Amino acid sequence: MADDSFDSPKAAQETIESDLSAIGPDRSLLIVDDDKSFLTRLARSMETHGFIVTTAQSVAEGLAEIAQSPPAYAVIDMRLADGNGLDVISELKAKRPDARGVILTGYGNIVTAVTAVKLGAFDYLAKPADADEIFHALMATNHDKAELPENPMSADRVRWEHIQRIYELCGRNVSETARRLNMHRRTLQRILAKRAPR
């Protein structure tokens, strides 16, 4: 995590005032992550920046917080024990279209980045992201949509990435993955045994 210490009390005060004016009048921030130590550190850092932080450790808790009071800002881990963080970002945008949400993931790829942005995420950061990176992503004003990549993945690679993602979400269970993808088990096994296409 970034070091949130300051050189002097005056510098600290100026930084806090600058952060508060950037955040705006509604300083509510929801952080959803099932890594408790990361969640605690990030919550503390975001409070230092001036946010009023609420935390959740699952999709269910995140959805409950949004139903109760949709926040102005959100930082949501993509892979949670009980489901996908994209469900939380989607619900947040439905309840509060002006909210700014950032998706965090340790499993970054272009396919899920585009999906996250389509569902309403303002940005997409790969873990480990520090508090300053996350703060700047929440405050950014110059990117409302994902940029077109220089070298986009081939259609074969996109298909392979999607299959890998479903396989991981199914706990690496071949039979369950094949059922979910409506694919023959042997066909899936052949795809999983091959290297990723370019």
Side-chain angles (χ1 to χ4, degrees):
M1 284 307 254
D3 180 11
D4 287 275
S5 60
F6 298 101
D7 295 333
S8 71
K10 187 181 176 195
Q13 188 59 37
E14 285 171 4
T15 303
I16 290 166
E17 284 170 12
S18 163
D19 289 351
L20 289 175
S21 71
I23 294 167
D26 187 342
R27 297 184 286 131
S28 58
L29 168 67
L30 173 64
I31 305 174
V32 186
D33 200 300
D34 54 10
D35 178 341
K36 194 166 184 183
S37 62
F38 174 78
L39 181 64
T40 304
R41 287 196 315 270
L42 183 58
R44 204 176 295 134
S45 297
M46 289 296 149
E47 284 169 351
T48 303
H49 280 293
F51 286 103
I52 297 164
V53 179
T54 304
T55 61
Q57 293 186 63
S58 65
V59 170
E61 284 179 22
L63 293 174
E65 290 294 343
I66 290 166
Q68 191 177 346
S69 178
Y73 299 92
V75 178
I76 301 164
D77 191 16
M78 183 127 147
R79 295 183 73 158
L80 297 158
D82 65 337
N84 195 315
L86 294 179
D87 294 336
V88 183
I89 202 87
S90 180
E91 181 64 13
L92 175 60
K93 291 306 276 189
K95 288 273 195 299
R96 184 166 182 169
D98 66 326
R100 284 184 176 221
V102 171
I103 286 283
L104 297 180
T105 183
Y107 305 87
N109 64 50
I110 294 165
V111 183
T112 42
V114 171
T115 304
V117 171
K118 280 183 180 172
L119 287 172
F122 185 72
D123 206 345
Y124 179 95
L125 296 173
K127 282 183 169 181
D130 69 32
D132 288 336
E133 282 180 271
I134 294 165
F135 177 76
H136 291 303
L138 286 169
M139 295 298 103
T141 55
N142 62 349
H143 60 283
D144 287 317
K145 56 186 177 184
E147 291 177 19
L148 184 67
E150 286 283 321
N151 300 303
M153 282 192 268
S154 67
D156 287 340
R157 178 64 190 234
V158 171
R159 178 175 179 259
W160 185 87
E161 290 272 1
H162 177 66
I163 289 168
Q164 291 294 325
R165 181 171 165 268
I166 301 302
Y167 180 52
E168 290 295 332
L169 289 171
C170 290
R172 303 176 76 84
N173 181 315
V174 176
S175 299
E176 179 63 12
T177 306
R179 189 182 71 75
R180 297 279 181 131
L181 291 170
N182 198 19
M183 182 183 281
H184 197 281
R185 191 174 189 279
R186 282 195 190 139
T187 306
L188 175 61
Q189 281 176 313
R190 276 198 299 275
I191 292 167
L192 292 171
K194 289 180 183 174
R195 286 172 181 261
R198 290 182 178 273

